[in-house]
PDB file of all heavy atoms in Angstrom:
ATOM      1  N   ARG A 174     -13.539   2.341 -14.798  1.00 96.00           N
ATOM      2  CA  ARG A 174     -12.491   1.626 -14.070  1.00 96.00           C
ATOM      3  C   ARG A 174     -12.187   0.264 -14.691  1.00 96.00           C
ATOM      4  O   ARG A 174     -13.085  -0.478 -15.069  1.00 96.00           O
ATOM      5  CB  ARG A 174     -12.936   1.402 -12.618  1.00 96.00           C
ATOM      6  CG  ARG A 174     -12.001   0.453 -11.901  1.00 96.00           C
ATOM      7  CD  ARG A 174     -12.491  -0.074 -10.610  1.00 96.00           C
ATOM      8  NE  ARG A 174     -11.649  -1.231 -10.306  1.00 96.00           N
ATOM      9  CZ  ARG A 174     -11.126  -1.513  -9.127  1.00 96.00           C
ATOM     10  NH1 ARG A 174     -11.391  -0.760  -8.102  1.00 96.00           N
ATOM     11  NH2 ARG A 174     -10.350  -2.564  -8.973  1.00 96.00           N
ATOM     12  N   GLY A 176      -9.047  -2.144 -13.310  1.00 85.00           N
ATOM     13  CA  GLY A 176      -7.752  -2.423 -12.677  1.00 85.00           C
ATOM     14  C   GLY A 176      -7.162  -1.284 -11.869  1.00 85.00           C
ATOM     15  O   GLY A 176      -6.227  -1.491 -11.121  1.00 85.00           O
ATOM     16  N   SER A 177      -7.649  -0.065 -12.007  1.00 87.00           N
ATOM     17  CA  SER A 177      -7.150   1.053 -11.191  1.00 87.00           C
ATOM     18  C   SER A 177      -8.320   1.605 -10.399  1.00 87.00           C
ATOM     19  O   SER A 177      -9.330   1.993 -10.983  1.00 87.00           O
ATOM     20  CB  SER A 177      -6.579   2.168 -12.069  1.00 87.00           C
ATOM     21  OG  SER A 177      -5.344   1.798 -12.556  1.00 87.00           O
ATOM     22  N   PRO A 178      -8.187   1.663  -9.086  1.00 87.00           N
ATOM     23  CA  PRO A 178      -9.333   1.999  -8.239  1.00 87.00           C
ATOM     24  C   PRO A 178      -9.951   3.367  -8.513  1.00 87.00           C
ATOM     25  O   PRO A 178      -9.247   4.319  -8.857  1.00 87.00           O
ATOM     26  CB  PRO A 178      -8.741   1.983  -6.825  1.00 87.00           C
ATOM     27  CG  PRO A 178      -7.275   2.013  -6.995  1.00 87.00           C
ATOM     28  CD  PRO A 178      -6.965   1.423  -8.315  1.00 87.00           C
ATOM     29  N   LEU A 207     -16.449   1.700  -7.790  1.00 95.00           N
ATOM     30  CA  LEU A 207     -16.640   1.145  -9.145  1.00 95.00           C
ATOM     31  C   LEU A 207     -15.878  -0.170  -9.255  1.00 95.00           C
ATOM     32  O   LEU A 207     -14.784  -0.304  -8.719  1.00 95.00           O
ATOM     33  CB  LEU A 207     -16.080   2.106 -10.187  1.00 95.00           C
ATOM     34  CG  LEU A 207     -16.943   3.256 -10.694  1.00 95.00           C
ATOM     35  CD1 LEU A 207     -16.359   3.806 -11.984  1.00 95.00           C
ATOM     36  CD2 LEU A 207     -18.396   2.857 -10.925  1.00 95.00           C
ATOM     37  N   GLU A 208     -16.453  -1.110  -9.951  1.00 92.00           N
ATOM     38  CA  GLU A 208     -15.771  -2.389 -10.208  1.00 92.00           C
ATOM     39  C   GLU A 208     -15.165  -2.339 -11.599  1.00 92.00           C
ATOM     40  O   GLU A 208     -15.550  -1.499 -12.425  1.00 92.00           O
ATOM     41  CB  GLU A 208     -16.783  -3.554 -10.186  1.00 92.00           C
ATOM     42  CG  GLU A 208     -17.526  -3.747  -8.893  1.00 92.00           C
ATOM     43  CD  GLU A 208     -16.645  -4.277  -7.778  1.00 92.00           C
ATOM     44  OE1 GLU A 208     -15.588  -4.860  -8.072  1.00 92.00           O
ATOM     45  OE2 GLU A 208     -17.025  -4.095  -6.610  1.00 92.00           O
ATOM     46  N   ASP A 209     -14.263  -3.271 -11.870  1.00 92.00           N
ATOM     47  CA  ASP A 209     -13.675  -3.339 -13.205  1.00 92.00           C
ATOM     48  C   ASP A 209     -14.768  -3.497 -14.256  1.00 92.00           C
ATOM     49  O   ASP A 209     -15.725  -4.252 -14.058  1.00 92.00           O
ATOM     50  CB  ASP A 209     -12.716  -4.532 -13.298  1.00 92.00           C
ATOM     51  CG  ASP A 209     -11.414  -4.228 -12.584  1.00 92.00           C
ATOM     52  OD1 ASP A 209     -11.229  -3.070 -12.159  1.00 92.00           O
ATOM     53  OD2 ASP A 209     -10.591  -5.134 -12.462  1.00 92.00           O
ATOM     54  N   SER A 354      -2.771  -1.421   1.026  1.00 92.00           N
ATOM     55  CA  SER A 354      -3.682  -0.650   0.178  1.00 92.00           C
ATOM     56  C   SER A 354      -4.818  -1.495  -0.374  1.00 92.00           C
ATOM     57  O   SER A 354      -5.903  -0.985  -0.651  1.00 92.00           O
ATOM     58  CB  SER A 354      -2.914  -0.048  -0.999  1.00 92.00           C
ATOM     59  OG  SER A 354      -2.334  -1.093  -1.761  1.00 92.00           O
ATOM     60  N   GLY A 355      -4.547  -2.766  -0.579  1.00 93.00           N
ATOM     61  CA  GLY A 355      -5.541  -3.633  -1.224  1.00 93.00           C
ATOM     62  C   GLY A 355      -5.652  -3.349  -2.709  1.00 93.00           C
ATOM     63  O   GLY A 355      -6.552  -3.852  -3.388  1.00 93.00           O
ATOM     64  N   GLU A 356      -4.729  -2.551  -3.235  1.00 91.00           N
ATOM     65  CA  GLU A 356      -4.805  -2.171  -4.643  1.00 91.00           C
ATOM     66  C   GLU A 356      -3.514  -2.469  -5.394  1.00 91.00           C
ATOM     67  O   GLU A 356      -3.418  -2.150  -6.575  1.00 91.00           O
ATOM     68  CB  GLU A 356      -5.100  -0.660  -4.796  1.00 91.00           C
ATOM     69  CG  GLU A 356      -6.394  -0.186  -4.167  1.00 91.00           C
ATOM     70  CD  GLU A 356      -7.649  -0.734  -4.854  1.00 91.00           C
ATOM     71  OE1 GLU A 356      -7.525  -1.389  -5.900  1.00 91.00           O
ATOM     72  OE2 GLU A 356      -8.748  -0.531  -4.304  1.00 91.00           O
ATOM     73  N   LEU A 361      -2.918  -7.991  -6.652  1.00 96.00           N
ATOM     74  CA  LEU A 361      -4.267  -8.206  -7.180  1.00 96.00           C
ATOM     75  C   LEU A 361      -4.229  -9.219  -8.334  1.00 96.00           C
ATOM     76  O   LEU A 361      -5.047 -10.146  -8.403  1.00 96.00           O
ATOM     77  CB  LEU A 361      -4.838  -6.850  -7.643  1.00 96.00           C
ATOM     78  CG  LEU A 361      -6.269  -6.803  -8.142  1.00 96.00           C
ATOM     79  CD1 LEU A 361      -7.233  -7.340  -7.102  1.00 96.00           C
ATOM     80  CD2 LEU A 361      -6.663  -5.360  -8.494  1.00 96.00           C
ATOM     81  N   ILE A 364      -3.752 -12.770  -7.075  1.00 96.00           N
ATOM     82  CA  ILE A 364      -4.983 -13.333  -6.525  1.00 96.00           C
ATOM     83  C   ILE A 364      -5.927 -13.773  -7.653  1.00 96.00           C
ATOM     84  O   ILE A 364      -6.551 -14.834  -7.598  1.00 96.00           O
ATOM     85  CB  ILE A 364      -5.640 -12.277  -5.585  1.00 96.00           C
ATOM     86  CG1 ILE A 364      -5.010 -12.382  -4.203  1.00 96.00           C
ATOM     87  CG2 ILE A 364      -7.141 -12.378  -5.496  1.00 96.00           C
ATOM     88  CD1 ILE A 364      -5.245 -13.719  -3.509  1.00 96.00           C
ATOM     89  N   ARG A 365      -5.992 -12.961  -8.688  1.00 95.00           N
ATOM     90  CA  ARG A 365      -6.863 -13.325  -9.819  1.00 95.00           C
ATOM     91  C   ARG A 365      -6.367 -14.599 -10.485  1.00 95.00           C
ATOM     92  O   ARG A 365      -7.141 -15.473 -10.861  1.00 95.00           O
ATOM     93  CB  ARG A 365      -6.910 -12.167 -10.828  1.00 95.00           C
ATOM     94  CG  ARG A 365      -7.752 -11.012 -10.299  1.00 95.00           C
ATOM     95  CD  ARG A 365      -7.773  -9.835 -11.236  1.00 95.00           C
ATOM     96  NE  ARG A 365      -8.605  -8.772 -10.692  1.00 95.00           N
ATOM     97  CZ  ARG A 365      -8.593  -7.519 -11.115  1.00 95.00           C
ATOM     98  NH1 ARG A 365      -7.800  -7.158 -12.094  1.00 95.00           N
ATOM     99  NH2 ARG A 365      -9.385  -6.623 -10.572  1.00 95.00           N
ATOM    100  N   VAL A 378      -5.980  -7.248   4.503  1.00 95.00           N
ATOM    101  CA  VAL A 378      -5.965  -5.950   3.833  1.00 95.00           C
ATOM    102  C   VAL A 378      -6.316  -4.847   4.820  1.00 95.00           C
ATOM    103  O   VAL A 378      -7.085  -5.076   5.755  1.00 95.00           O
ATOM    104  CB  VAL A 378      -7.006  -5.999   2.670  1.00 95.00           C
ATOM    105  CG1 VAL A 378      -7.232  -4.642   2.059  1.00 95.00           C
ATOM    106  CG2 VAL A 378      -6.559  -6.974   1.585  1.00 95.00           C
ATOM    107  N   VAL A 380      -7.190  -1.350   3.675  1.00 84.00           N
ATOM    108  CA  VAL A 380      -8.187  -0.416   3.148  1.00 84.00           C
ATOM    109  C   VAL A 380      -9.517  -1.132   2.875  1.00 84.00           C
ATOM    110  O   VAL A 380      -9.604  -2.009   2.007  1.00 84.00           O
ATOM    111  CB  VAL A 380      -7.670   0.309   1.882  1.00 84.00           C
ATOM    112  CG1 VAL A 380      -8.738   1.232   1.320  1.00 84.00           C
ATOM    113  CG2 VAL A 380      -6.418   1.114   2.221  1.00 84.00           C
ATOM    114  N   GLY A 382     -12.964  -2.075   1.535  1.00 79.00           N
ATOM    115  CA  GLY A 382     -13.622  -1.903   0.241  1.00 79.00           C
ATOM    116  C   GLY A 382     -12.650  -1.914  -0.935  1.00 79.00           C
ATOM    117  O   GLY A 382     -13.055  -1.763  -2.085  1.00 79.00           O
ATOM    118  N   SER A 383     -11.351  -2.103  -0.665  1.00 85.00           N
ATOM    119  CA  SER A 383     -10.363  -2.089  -1.755  1.00 85.00           C
ATOM    120  C   SER A 383     -10.523  -3.336  -2.634  1.00 85.00           C
ATOM    121  O   SER A 383     -11.204  -4.294  -2.255  1.00 85.00           O
ATOM    122  CB  SER A 383      -8.959  -2.035  -1.172  1.00 85.00           C
ATOM    123  OG  SER A 383      -8.790  -3.118  -0.291  1.00 85.00           O
ATOM    124  N   SER A 384      -9.863  -3.307  -3.782  1.00 89.00           N
ATOM    125  CA  SER A 384     -10.080  -4.393  -4.761  1.00 89.00           C
ATOM    126  C   SER A 384      -9.763  -5.773  -4.199  1.00 89.00           C
ATOM    127  O   SER A 384     -10.534  -6.717  -4.391  1.00 89.00           O
ATOM    128  CB  SER A 384      -9.227  -4.150  -5.999  1.00 89.00           C
ATOM    129  OG  SER A 384      -9.522  -2.899  -6.524  1.00 89.00           O
ATOM    130  N   ILE A 385      -8.619  -5.897  -3.500  1.00 94.00           N
ATOM    131  CA  ILE A 385      -8.244  -7.241  -3.006  1.00 94.00           C
ATOM    132  C   ILE A 385      -9.269  -7.723  -1.984  1.00 94.00           C
ATOM    133  O   ILE A 385      -9.671  -8.883  -1.978  1.00 94.00           O
ATOM    134  CB  ILE A 385      -6.804  -7.247  -2.434  1.00 94.00           C
ATOM    135  CG1 ILE A 385      -5.811  -6.971  -3.567  1.00 94.00           C
ATOM    136  CG2 ILE A 385      -6.486  -8.583  -1.743  1.00 94.00           C
ATOM    137  CD1 ILE A 385      -4.365  -6.820  -3.158  1.00 94.00           C
ATOM    138  N   SER A 386      -9.747  -6.784  -1.145  1.00 91.00           N
ATOM    139  CA  SER A 386     -10.720  -7.211  -0.132  1.00 91.00           C
ATOM    140  C   SER A 386     -12.012  -7.680  -0.796  1.00 91.00           C
ATOM    141  O   SER A 386     -12.692  -8.558  -0.285  1.00 91.00           O
ATOM    142  CB  SER A 386     -11.014  -6.072   0.846  1.00 91.00           C
ATOM    143  OG  SER A 386     -11.793  -5.082   0.228  1.00 91.00           O
ATOM    144  N   ARG A 387     -12.330  -7.103  -1.942  1.00 90.00           N
ATOM    145  CA  ARG A 387     -13.587  -7.486  -2.598  1.00 90.00           C
ATOM    146  C   ARG A 387     -13.440  -8.748  -3.438  1.00 90.00           C
ATOM    147  O   ARG A 387     -14.401  -9.470  -3.639  1.00 90.00           O
ATOM    148  CB  ARG A 387     -14.105  -6.330  -3.440  1.00 90.00           C
ATOM    149  CG  ARG A 387     -14.754  -5.247  -2.556  1.00 90.00           C
ATOM    150  CD  ARG A 387     -15.251  -4.067  -3.331  1.00 90.00           C
ATOM    151  NE  ARG A 387     -14.127  -3.257  -3.786  1.00 90.00           N
ATOM    152  CZ  ARG A 387     -13.953  -2.824  -5.017  1.00 90.00           C
ATOM    153  NH1 ARG A 387     -14.826  -3.126  -5.943  1.00 90.00           N
ATOM    154  NH2 ARG A 387     -12.915  -2.090  -5.339  1.00 90.00           N
ATOM    155  N   GLU A 388     -12.240  -8.974  -3.928  1.00 93.00           N
ATOM    156  CA  GLU A 388     -12.099 -10.083  -4.881  1.00 93.00           C
ATOM    157  C   GLU A 388     -11.686 -11.414  -4.260  1.00 93.00           C
ATOM    158  O   GLU A 388     -11.655 -12.427  -4.936  1.00 93.00           O
ATOM    159  CB  GLU A 388     -11.122  -9.679  -5.990  1.00 93.00           C
ATOM    160  CG  GLU A 388     -11.694  -8.549  -6.818  1.00 93.00           C
ATOM    161  CD  GLU A 388     -10.982  -8.351  -8.139  1.00 93.00           C
ATOM    162  OE1 GLU A 388     -10.348  -9.287  -8.640  1.00 93.00           O
ATOM    163  OE2 GLU A 388     -11.090  -7.224  -8.666  1.00 93.00           O
ATOM    164  N   THR A 389     -11.336 -11.398  -2.971  1.00 96.00           N
ATOM    165  CA  THR A 389     -10.927 -12.651  -2.336  1.00 96.00           C
ATOM    166  C   THR A 389     -12.146 -13.370  -1.750  1.00 96.00           C
ATOM    167  O   THR A 389     -13.173 -12.738  -1.478  1.00 96.00           O
ATOM    168  CB  THR A 389      -9.883 -12.366  -1.237  1.00 96.00           C
ATOM    169  OG1 THR A 389     -10.237 -11.157  -0.574  1.00 96.00           O
ATOM    170  CG2 THR A 389      -8.501 -12.214  -1.800  1.00 96.00           C
TER     171      THR A 389
END
Side-chain angles (χ1 to χ4, degrees):
R174 170 193 164 136
S177 285
L207 275 197
E208 300 289 339
D209 284 353
S354 60
E356 301 293 353
L361 184 56
I364 275 297
R365 286 178 179 164
V378 171
V380 178
S383 56
S384 304
I385 295 175
S386 72
R387 283 179 287 131
E388 294 196 23
T389 38

